[in-house]
Amino acid sequence: MPMIRNVWLDSSDDTNNSNDKKSDKKRKKKRQQSMRRGRFDLVMGEVNIDDRDNLITKFSSKKSKSSHESVPLNPWHVIKFGKKSRVTSCSFFTDATQSSLVTGSSDGFIEIWNSDENYTKLRMDLEYQKRDDIMCHYGEQTTEDDGGPAPAILTTTVNSDSKLLASGDSAGTICIWDIKTGVLLCKLHKVHGGAITCLDFSQDGEESSRILSSSQDTTCREFGLRTRRLLKEFRGHSSFVNSCRYVLANSPSIHLLVVTASADSSIRIWCGKSAEVKLVLNPMHITNSNPSAVVSKSSTGDIQTNLGKNIHTVIPLHTPSNAMIVAAKTDKIFLVTYSGLALRTYEHESLQNDVESSESYDKGDFIAVSVSPSNKWLYGVKANGVCVCFDMISGDVKKTITDFGLETVGGKSDIELSGIVHHPFKGILAAYSSSAIQKRGLLTLWK
């Protein structure tokens, strides 16, 4: 998150004693504009704007820092896993030497892949991988020697300085690893009553002191990494919690929030300090005449939010500020502020043969989404395997890759994708399926 500061330029700030009248006029004009702006965001500029129309206009007029950012259109490389081993999570991170890809698999292993080898080989500068001592979650009463079944790694994340890696598994256990040495620094054993679905490190300096976790047990929890104890519990969802994120909201002042998304069709905005619910949102309530997703402004009462739409992804954005991408198993993706205001809805018109319904979901529903690092492109993959690239500013469809799912899983039409992840600064997408139908797992990189 960028630092936000008050910028007030007055005559005492001007140390240039030039007699050039044109320069004086330019400085005076600039000073007047700065005085009118008041608070200033180093990325977004103005931040004290609450009116929806002004927000949309501001977002639409903003030029991307990476206007040249390419859209990946073709399969680039494929990582093949062992028999009966499937990719169950992946993420990119960048450290002092290179960018790397982390994968978690159904057999409990966590592997780090080398960008110098186009992510097709493991990083051998990491000594523990070189000697085949791979990071792994072991099953209940199972050791490295007896080879018992291990829980699947359902989520991984790396902290801000790329020194720590957190992994969460299907048994409810969280592990914190030292990326350089592969040493297990902290193990939070079965701290949830269900599978871990998402993890997020606190952004409180180089050494993150807390970890946020969401689970299929309907809760989100915060743990201290030094004390290894539960600090807060965010309870209120009635179904699986699929996503959890720390966010710093800067309107009207900078404050910490926790955002959770659930299969009960709701998003809850919590106070990061007190764990109290500030807002309950349901994006399915958004219409052209009603741009608000707010269901309730308090945690009191019995809130009915379940409309059968599983909200699987929440992605906080830096552009525009105080906003997030929300994706559910529906044919729309939403751009919503932390106050519940809908700024834009992204839709794609499916072909007639693309919208055949099954018992559980529509083939035109979005099942995985990702955003480019500049927040210029929004990628959404549908249940039928079509990948749609939206222009975040205009909402228009930039590209459509109809065979994205088919190419990702090796040409098998009956396998549904599970996730896509964007590279931190290049036009590269990683896509995978966790389906048990596969004889061996594949992760496909698109460029």
Side-chain angles (χ1 to χ4, degrees):
M1 295 294 294
M3 292 184 64
I4 300 172
R5 62 181 65 179
N6 290 328
V7 179
W8 298 101
L9 297 179
D10 55 32
S11 57
S12 62
D13 297 322
D14 187 1
T15 58
N16 191 341
N17 295 321
S18 173
N19 294 323
D20 190 334
K21 293 183 179 180
K22 291 184 179 180
S23 297
D24 289 340
K25 288 181 180 179
K26 288 182 180 179
R27 285 195 295 274
K28 184 177 180 181
K29 185 177 180 180
K30 185 177 180 180
R31 182 167 62 248
Q32 291 173 344
Q33 290 175 345
S34 297
M35 290 291 287
R36 286 195 299 269
R37 288 192 185 107
R39 300 189 69 202
F40 185 83
D41 187 302
L42 295 182
V43 172
M44 284 297 296
E46 296 175 58
V47 295
N48 283 347
I49 302 175
D50 296 319
D51 182 74
R52 176 174 179 263
D53 294 333
N54 287 343
L55 270 171
I56 295 174
T57 302
K58 180 179 176 59
F59 178 38
S60 301
S61 63
K62 185 63 61 179
K63 293 183 178 180
S64 171
K65 294 174 111 179
S66 302
S67 58
H68 64 282
E69 195 170 60
S70 61
V71 176
L73 297 175
N74 301 299
W76 181 40
H77 292 289
V78 177
I79 302 175
K80 295 182 179 180
F81 289 74
K83 291 183 178 180
K84 298 183 180 180
S85 176
R86 305 178 307 278
V87 184
T88 48
S89 64
C90 78
S91 57
F92 286 100
F93 74 92
T94 302
D95 58 20
T97 59
Q98 60 174 294
S99 62
S100 303
L101 174 68
V102 180
T103 58
S105 58
S106 58
D107 50 8
F109 287 101
I110 304 156
E111 297 168 299
I112 302 178
W113 302 83
N114 192 346
S115 63
D116 294 337
E117 300 288 344
N118 298 325
Y119 303 104
T120 57
K121 295 183 179 180
L122 295 179
R123 279 184 57 176
M124 290 301 156
D125 61 316
L126 300 174
E127 289 296 327
Y128 57 93
Q129 292 198 147
K130 189 175 182 179
R131 61 177 182 264
D132 202 26
D133 186 14
I134 307 298
M135 293 180 288
C136 183
H137 286 220
Y138 296 105
E140 186 69 18
Q141 296 181 346
T142 301
T143 66
E144 186 178 1
D145 298 325
D146 66 23
I153 308 300
L154 301 184
T155 179
T156 59
T157 189
V158 175
N159 75 333
S160 57
D161 67 351
S162 299
K163 292 181 179 179
L164 303 178
L165 185 150
S167 54
D169 66 29
S170 56
T173 295
I174 301 169
C175 290
I176 311 297
W177 309 85
D178 185 309
I179 292 177
K180 186 176 181 180
T181 64
V183 171
L184 178 61
L185 302 176
C186 174
K187 183 175 182 179
L188 303 172
H189 183 65
K190 290 194 173 182
V191 290
H192 279 280
I196 307 294
T197 56
C198 187
L199 295 169
D200 195 21
F201 277 107
S202 60
Q203 304 295 319
D204 53 356
E206 292 187 357
E207 295 185 2
S208 302
S209 63
R210 293 165 291 156
I211 188 79
L212 191 69
S213 61
S214 60
S215 171
Q216 291 182 358
D217 67 3
T218 75
T219 68
C220 172
R221 293 172 180 171
E222 181 184 63
F223 297 92
L225 297 183
R226 296 187 181 95
T227 62
R228 304 187 184 191
R229 294 181 179 178
L230 175 67
L231 301 180
K232 299 182 186 71
E233 182 175 75
F234 304 86
R235 181 180 291 273
H237 287 291
S238 59
S239 187
F240 298 165
V241 182
N242 297 315
S243 183
C244 62
R245 299 298 293 266
Y246 287 113
V247 296
L248 284 175
N250 54 30
S251 179
S253 60
I254 301 176
H255 54 286
L256 178 66
L257 300 175
V258 168
V259 179
T260 57
S262 171
D264 65 9
S265 297
S266 75
I267 296 170
R268 290 180 179 248
I269 312 293
W270 312 77
C271 174
K273 292 184 178 181
S274 65
E276 294 180 355
V277 176
K278 298 175 70 70
L279 287 174
V280 180
L281 312 179
N282 187 334
M284 269 58 77
H285 287 184
I286 296 170
T287 62
N288 291 333
S289 58
N290 176 34
S292 175
V294 176
V295 176
S296 173
K297 293 187 177 182
S298 71
S299 59
T300 59
D302 188 14
I303 303 169
Q304 299 295 325
T305 60
N306 197 328
L307 297 180
K309 298 298 182 181
N310 181 3
I311 302 178
H312 50 78
T313 308
V314 168
I315 305 175
L317 304 175
H318 60 72
T319 308
S321 60
N322 297 318
M324 57 186 169
I325 287 293
V326 175
K329 279 197 172 181
T330 182
D331 58 355
K332 298 177 182 178
I333 303 174
F334 304 93
L335 174 62
V336 184
T337 67
Y338 300 143
S339 60
L341 206 57
L343 301 182
R344 197 172 301 286
T345 300
Y346 303 92
E347 299 182 72
H348 174 251
E349 293 183 3
S350 300
L351 299 175
Q352 187 66 30
N353 60 355
D354 287 341
V355 293
E356 299 175 0
S357 297
S358 70
E359 294 180 359
S360 58
Y361 57 81
D362 190 316
K363 291 292 184 180
D365 288 350
F366 288 102
I367 57 173
V369 299
S370 188
V371 174
S372 67
S374 68
N375 292 176
K376 180 177 177 61
W377 308 121
L378 168 64
Y379 298 90
V381 176
K382 295 188 171 187
N384 57 17
V386 175
C387 180
V388 185
C389 175
F390 295 96
D391 186 307
M392 287 273 289
I393 295 175
S394 66
D396 297 334
V397 175
K398 176 69 174 178
K399 296 287 183 181
T400 301
I401 310 173
T402 56
D403 60 348
F404 187 87
L406 202 63
E407 291 284 351
T408 296
V409 297
K412 297 181 179 180
S413 59
D414 56 343
I415 298 178
E416 178 181 302
L417 293 191
S418 301
I420 56 172
V421 179
H422 202 289
H423 191 278
F425 54 84
K426 292 183 179 179
I428 298 174
L429 277 176
Y432 65 94
S433 173
S434 303
S435 173
I437 298 175
Q438 303 173 98
K439 291 183 179 179
R440 63 191 309 164
L442 300 176
L443 185 144
T444 301
L445 295 161
W446 288 72
K447 189 176 181 180

